[in-house]
Amino acid sequence: MPPPDMRTPQQVRTLLAARFRRDYPSWAQRRGSWPLHISLQEPGTAQRRADPVACHAWADSWRDYPGPGTVTWANRDFRTGVHPMPKTLVLARAYDVAAADPGTATVWQRCGARLAELTRHFPDARLGPLVRRITELADADHRRLVTTASWLRANPSSGMLLRQLPIEGIDTKWLQRHAPLVLALLGDDPDASTAADPDTGPASGPASGPGPDAGPNPGPGPDAGPNPGPGSDAGPNPGPGSDAGTGDAGAAADDTGAGATARLRLYRRLGLRVPPELIQVAVLDPELRHQIGGMRHLAASTDDLNRWEQTPDTVVILEAKETGYAVTTDHPGAVILHGQGFSVAAYARIGWVRTARRVIYWGDLDLPGLHFVDDLRGHGIDARTILTDRATLDRYRHLAVDGAGTTRSSLPHLTPDEMALYRHLAEHAAATGTGLLLEQERILWPDAYRALVEAMASPSEPAAARP
């Protein structure tokens, strides 16, 4: 058994496999310099004197080393004379590093084959920071990627819904997950900060630099590519490191409207039609129900809601979907919009929300809820809140749970009472590291319903005039 400092062939293979997995996306783009020198940590003078037998046994393990790479030797003094000791393993190119382990050899082969295929079929592709994602895609997803990008390139303005595309195996979730790759194949200039390989880091940064004893920063030279693989015959350079797929375009839609905006941008870029965003509506006024066939509950797009001939003078916006169904009594001139979370933009696009005599908002009592109130008023919707004050929080504090702790520096549209609540919640988040959340469903329904009915019946007044 060699002393612990001396590296055995198996230890070096393990080291090379780890190094490969870290750096192969950079190597595939011909970055760095070769050859790569790996120190074998030969025994020092003290070790050679203390245990020459172990030192010679270690040297013998390298004498029959079959590769990859070449072992360099140096003559060293022993008590019995001068003997050669292995010093360094020299690897000429990335292919040699990959060949140290069957698994990494397979990855390098796949990497080269896929980059060659994609750059051949998509000469404008910007693949640089996406090399790892491309390489690690399942075979089925890789085939879908090529098929999808090819179809979209040939049909840049189809006007189809995603569901109508004649491509087997893709759906909304697949497109959201793989949007950076699709856009990169179509040649988009992407946001490298969100689309880059997460574990590679920038090519010039420490993540892709050499280890303390690995020699020069590895990167393929003229013959660095695998054979076959991403070498000199792999087709055009996959692209500069600053290019990648659009990160936010692939994000799933969220309740703030940012995700929906990103999805809209993505669909427009791909020439697809976006399904309308439906808003849940509870019509509390019998006369208003008459114009829509007597329906009390419906889901409609903003365009359809803007076509109403008769419009409400009281609009209630509820964060939770189920709460909108709990109001079973009629209220003249009133409708409830519910279940859209914090989609300010959706509400702001409805003309009669902006012109209603009275708009009431009730949602979860937390920091994001107050952010939404401020945003709603910032869009010109003069909403009045109910059950959004310290008294409500104090009464039901025992039912509150941990929530989001994100704060804002400016909330110009909150009332003094709302701002006092906001400061309290922000101080709690700063002191505990987590926010406080009182969900609207936790408040007893008789209390909540009474406050809601009183607000619908009260005279309207500007938010700025309220305490």
Side-chain angles (χ1 to χ4, degrees), residues 100-119:
D101 178 86
T104 56
T106 299
V107 170
W108 191 237
Q109 187 83 5
R110 186 191 314 126
C111 177
R114 288 186 176 178
L115 291 183
E117 174 193 12
L118 295 178
T119 52

Side-chain angles (χ1 to χ4, degrees), residues 11 95 113 219 234 239 257 286 293 397 422:
Q11 288 173 330
Y95 174 77
R397 179 63 176 266
Y422 187 84

Side-chain angles (χ1 to χ4, degrees), residues 121-172:
H121 289 298
F122 303 94
D124 296 326
R126 306 296 187 94
L127 304 179
L130 296 168
V131 169
R132 187 184 301 277
R133 286 193 63 181
I134 290 166
T135 303
E136 295 178 359
L137 274 179
D139 288 341
D141 282 326
H142 175 71
R143 290 192 295 271
R144 290 187 189 107
L145 174 65
V146 174
T147 303
T148 301
S150 298
W151 193 93
L152 291 170
R153 182 178 59 181
N155 302 271
S157 303
S158 70
M160 289 178 152
L161 292 169
L162 178 63
R163 182 65 183 87
Q164 296 174 300
L165 298 185
I167 305 171
E168 183 178 354
I170 70 164
D171 53 26
T172 301

